[in-house]
Amino acid sequence: MTNNDILKKLRVALQLKDTDIVEIMALVDFKVTKSEINALYRNEEHPKFMECKDQFLRNFLNGLIIYKRGPMPPKKK
């Protein structure tokens, strides 16, 4: 299973739109456009297909935590 497959399955399971993914990535200061996201969902044979790298998926998962739970509370000293 590739990172692209994982991203597709999460998008369907959580019913996320492209704008939601842009918002999620912005939560972790990772700039991405809707066209770049669409390139991740294309067929591997498509000329504009883009491979989902580990860094993208890691940032998406970190942003998804913030998106669903909210920001981490400050640590008590």
Side-chain angles (χ1 to χ4, degrees), residues 19-50:
T19 53
D20 296 330
I21 295 174
V22 170
E23 182 182 336
I24 288 169
M25 297 302 280
L27 292 173
V28 290
D29 297 326
F30 195 94
K31 305 289 184 220
V32 66
T33 63
K34 287 172 64 173
S35 59
E36 289 173 325
I37 292 168
N38 286 328
L40 296 169
Y41 300 132
R42 297 184 192 275
N43 189 339
E44 290 181 20
E45 279 76 43
H46 194 280
K48 295 196 179 203
F49 170 78
M50 188 170 81

